[in-house]
Amino acid sequence: MRLWGGHGRLRHQRLQTILTVAALATAVALPVVLLSVGGGVSQHELNDLENAGYQIVISAAGLHGVANAHALTDRILAIPSVTAASPVLSVAIDVFLGSGAAVPSLAEGVIPDQFTPTLGPTESGLFPAHLPLGDPTDELHYANGTYAGPANYSILVSSPFAQAYSLSVGQSVKLAPTANDSQAVAYNITGIFGVPLGTLGEVGAFALLLPLSDLQVMTGYAHGPGVPVPDAADTLEVAVTGAVATNPTALNQVRNEIAALVPYYGVSTLSQEAEQLQTAASVLTGFYLALSSVGLTVGLVFLALVMMRRVESDRRSIGVRRALGLPARSIVGRVLLQSVVVAGLGAVIGVVAGILLVEGLATWATGAVQEAAQLAIFVPLTLAELTGAVLVLSLLAGGSAARAALRLDLAEALR
Amino acid sequence: MTGGVVPTVELRGVERTYESGEADEVRALRGVDLSLPPGEVVSIEGPSGCGKTSLLNLLGLLDAPTRGEVRWDGRSVGGRTDRERARLRLERVGFIFQRFYLLPTLTARENVELPMRALGTPRADRQARASALLAEVGLAGRERAFPHQLSGGEEQRVAVARALANQPGLLLADEPTGELDSENTEAILALLGRVQEERKATLVLVTHNPAVAGRARRHLTMRDGRVVGDARGA
């Protein structure tokens, strides 16, 4: 016995089946990609939070929005149980090498002796124990609201960057906030640091570390449009003593003390950050599912139409079965089985195609797309639920066709 | 397998009207009264469009009358559910359709097995019976052929075998030998006659073939939806 229609209609029905399977596979592949990549990125960020060496983070609404970073660091360090307060300014800059070509890179400005204690166990192994960036407090260059002292002009270069351009300690490179060579200032490479390549693409791994004040002056985030000095940073990460870090009540108390100092900034513990991240991930997952449901709905409507069409073209066979006295459940079961088989094929192919697509992006894509694809997580339960949902919905799609099959006028169908 | 009980079938004042187009309707049957006691062999003759197939459909519970009543064993079937009517067809009626209506996705043997499968006959029993029936209609060795691989005559013989699968009490045949040569016609008629004899089944034959009609002991003639002749004798 063959499942699909008669000999004469076989080719036509096969084409319909292939198109329906393709539509459903496409509709299923989309949520597979979105959920696996979205889930992977969220999980990666959660892992980063769990492995961080700090417990409280201060952030501002705008880009580079934390002002008076050096002074704020001093005030926070004055709070008992705070062991480190590290402002971080991240800016995209251009690096000019010997050839004169500008290489885009990510520069992070830090206060050396505050930065190292806020690194997590994984990251801390990638950096020298004491960053060779000159003044560990970054106060020689910057002090009391002025940038009067001599800049150190020292930088650390990430190992992929150093490897890609054969850079080594002792060499000099020029840095500029834009691709304009005339603004570039020479810096000495005083160290190399590692990056976890598994989670970063090649360009993302081209990173530099330099004193906060040097980066502020070079990029203009030392100076506001008027006289006031912004002394800008993006975030300020705060580490506390072990006893406080493991005591949620005590940690929250420190957070409140910091919040009292900077009521206009966001101050949150990492567990709060994690909750926010999970909430955001849930919202995104809901959005992905809503987006995917559009494709799935179209696919299932297509399936319903094809099943109706199939009942119409098989009306004589269905009429004969009913005329012979075959029970309704047999007629209905046959239509539903066809619907489920088509949907099941579409779902399985869609899942496989989604996985292959993500794997392909992780291998052959570039930049952020590749990085995100490399973080993708395929949860078997989610994939099974997705497939199950398609199968259940295919019963609805086939149900309307089965109902039509039972309502066929027998005399008409056999005429 | 014991087979279905042979029913007494009666039609009382039966009319059947079909919608045709927006305002037109076709009166296929007009006030037909008919009684078929168990074991009768009846031929129905008449010109095309006179209502023969419509009458056959009503007798076999494939259709319901617009007016009037169809009774089986003295009981009206009008109030029966679709499920009950389907069960009656499965257990007690064997159809031989004019255009065979074999299922194209099933082999010859699977087509014959289909009614038995629906009745819950064990696989081995139904396979053996299907093979035996196919052998009886001269199709031994053709069990695995699909309908498109069979000639018109072979398809018709498979259709006859399928109609006999559940040993029905009422056999309804619409031009059962229309595609057969004289030799095969004789073989099929002999088979139907033997089944009718063995089971005392009621056999209704719609035919234009005098040789087929000659097998009947009662001859109905139809014209314009009415039974205009009801004669007995070979």
Side-chain angles (χ1 to χ4, degrees):
Chain A
M1 181 169 57
R2 290 175 294 179
L3 185 60
W4 307 119
H7 179 69
R9 299 187 303 271
L10 201 56
R11 193 177 304 164
H12 184 59
Q13 291 198 345
R14 190 177 293 160
L15 181 63
Q16 285 183 352
T17 303
I18 289 170
L19 288 174
T20 311
V21 168
L24 283 167
T26 307
V28 170
L30 178 67
V32 170
V33 172
L34 291 177
L35 293 175
S36 62
V37 173
V41 171
S42 297
Q43 188 58 50
H44 172 72
E45 289 177 5
L46 278 173
N47 290 343
D48 273 357
L49 286 180
E50 285 173 7
N51 293 322
Y54 56 93
Q55 292 77 36
I56 297 170
V57 63
I58 301 166
S59 54
L63 188 65
H64 317 309
V66 174
N68 301 314
H70 287 87
L72 183 57
T73 300
D74 290 339
R75 291 169 70 191
I76 291 171
L77 284 171
I79 297 173
S81 75
V82 170
T83 56
S86 172
V88 178
L89 174 64
S90 301
V91 188
I93 63 164
D94 285 285
V95 180
F96 294 89
L97 303 168
S99 62
V103 179
S105 180
L106 181 70
E108 292 214 329
V110 300
I111 297 175
D113 68 353
Q114 297 299 316
F115 177 71
T116 313
T118 58
L119 294 173
T122 307
E123 282 183 312
S124 61
L126 302 171
F127 290 87
H130 298 285
L131 300 182
L133 290 173
D135 174 22
T137 62
D138 193 34
E139 286 180 348
L140 294 181
H141 186 204
Y142 171 87
N144 303 321
T146 62
Y147 291 84
N152 196 267
Y153 299 118
S154 297
I155 56 166
L156 304 186
V157 180
S158 69
S159 51
F161 196 5
Q163 194 173 359
Y165 292 96
S166 303
L167 302 174
S168 57
V169 174
Q171 280 187 300
S172 174
V173 292
K174 292 202 292 184
L175 311 183
T178 67
N180 186 352
D181 193 6
S182 66
Q183 297 178 357
V185 178
Y187 278 74
N188 298 314
I189 299 173
T190 55
I192 309 286
F193 63 93
V195 292
L197 261 183
T199 56
L200 289 171
E202 188 181 337
V203 175
F206 286 2
L208 307 172
L209 203 65
L210 65 164
L212 175 62
S213 58
D214 283 10
L215 185 61
Q216 288 172 333
V217 171
M218 178 174 59
T219 55
Y221 293 110
H223 312 286
V227 177
V229 178
D231 185 12
D234 291 301
T235 58
L236 205 153
E237 294 159 355
V238 179
V240 296
T241 59
V244 173
T246 53
N247 182 339
T249 307
L251 184 62
N252 211 38
Q253 195 173 339
V254 175
R255 190 211 77 86
N256 291 341
E257 285 184 59
I258 295 172
L261 291 175
V262 283
Y264 32 87
Y265 292 152
V267 182
S268 51
T269 62
L270 287 197
S271 55
Q272 289 171 323
E273 290 271 300
E275 282 173 21
Q276 287 173 3
L277 193 60
Q278 280 171 329
T279 303
S282 300
V283 170
L284 269 180
T285 301
F287 173 73
Y288 294 153
L289 288 175
L291 190 65
S292 304
S293 69
V294 175
L296 281 174
T297 302
V298 171
L300 289 164
V301 166
F302 193 42
L303 175 64
L305 289 175
V306 165
M307 292 310 300
M308 291 289 278
R309 175 83 182 80
R310 182 161 289 170
V311 164
E312 184 59 31
S313 65
D314 284 351
R315 66 203 310 268
R316 178 151 297 157
S317 290
I318 293 167
V320 170
R321 287 173 189 273
R322 286 183 52 202
L324 293 176
L326 266 68
R329 66 171 184 280
S330 156
I331 311 284
V332 169
R334 187 176 168 76
V335 175
L336 293 183
L337 177 64
Q338 289 183 358
S339 183
V340 166
V341 167
V342 171
L345 265 177
V348 170
I349 292 173
V351 167
V352 172
I355 292 172
L356 291 178
L357 181 61
V358 172
E359 295 293 343
L361 291 174
T363 308
W364 291 297
T366 56
V369 173
Q370 185 184 43
E371 290 171 27
Q374 286 173 339
L375 296 173
I377 298 171
F378 300 104
V379 182
L381 181 62
T382 304
L383 299 180
E385 284 173 346
L386 184 62
T387 305
V390 171
L391 293 180
V392 169
L393 290 172
S394 75
L395 291 175
L396 289 179
S400 54
R403 192 159 172 242
L406 291 181
R407 293 178 128 189
L408 275 182
D409 184 318
L410 276 185
E412 180 70 26
L414 296 173
R415 192 166 291 167
Chain B
M1 180 180 293
T2 56
V5 178
V6 182
T8 299
V9 183
E10 293 169 277
L11 270 60
R12 291 183 179 177
V14 164
E15 296 195 10
R16 183 65 175 100
T17 304
Y18 297 105
E19 299 291 331
S20 173
E22 288 184 0
D24 296 338
E25 48 181 41
V26 175
R27 296 181 69 189
L29 295 175
R30 306 171 187 222
V32 174
D33 291 297
L34 184 65
S35 177
L36 299 177
E40 276 219 306
V41 181
V42 183
S43 72
I44 304 176
E45 296 173 79
S48 293
C50 70
K52 301 186 295 292
T53 301
S54 295
L55 180 61
L56 217 56
N57 286 344
L58 288 172
L59 290 173
L61 307 182
L62 288 183
D63 200 4
T66 312
R67 280 200 197 86
E69 194 177 36
V70 178
R71 298 170 74 89
W72 271 42
D73 297 329
R75 185 182 161 198
S76 173
V77 293
R80 293 191 187 235
T81 63
D82 282 350
R83 189 175 175 177
E84 288 171 330
R85 289 150 64 96
R87 191 70 188 177
L88 283 176
R89 286 197 300 272
L90 182 65
E91 290 178 344
R92 300 174 71 177
V93 184
F95 286 100
I96 304 168
F97 299 104
Q98 188 173 10
R99 292 177 213 157
F100 332 132
Y101 292 155
L102 299 183
L103 297 179
T105 56
L106 304 184
T107 64
R109 191 173 73 186
E110 287 168 343
N111 263 287
V112 179
E113 279 184 56
L114 192 62
M116 294 186 276
R117 202 169 73 185
L119 203 57
T121 307
R123 183 187 177 90
D125 290 354
R126 66 175 193 248
Q127 283 184 344
R129 178 161 170 75
S131 294
L133 281 168
L134 286 171
E136 262 193 285
V137 297
L139 288 176
R142 299 287 279 155
E143 290 93 339
R144 291 175 186 276
F146 284 95
H148 70 273
Q149 296 167 321
L150 300 171
S151 68
E154 287 175 322
E155 283 192 82
Q156 193 148 24
R157 282 181 276 162
V158 175
V160 169
R162 183 179 64 186
L164 300 176
N166 282 342
Q167 298 186 327
L170 176 61
L171 259 172
L172 304 172
D174 198 351
E175 298 284 5
T177 60
E179 294 283 330
L180 303 180
D181 56 26
S182 56
E183 190 182 341
N184 278 312
T185 296
E186 195 53 42
I188 292 297
L189 289 176
L191 174 63
L192 291 176
R194 192 166 68 249
V195 169
Q196 191 277 327
E197 276 294 322
E198 285 171 359
R199 295 196 36 73
K200 301 298 178 204
T202 303
L203 173 61
V204 180
L205 300 157
V206 169
T207 183
H208 289 102
N209 185 341
V212 176
R215 296 286 179 138
R217 291 187 284 274
R218 182 178 174 191
H219 307 277
L220 300 178
T221 306
M222 293 191 69
R223 187 157 294 131
D224 297 332
R226 291 190 175 90
V227 177
V228 295
D230 187 350
R232 290 188 179 271

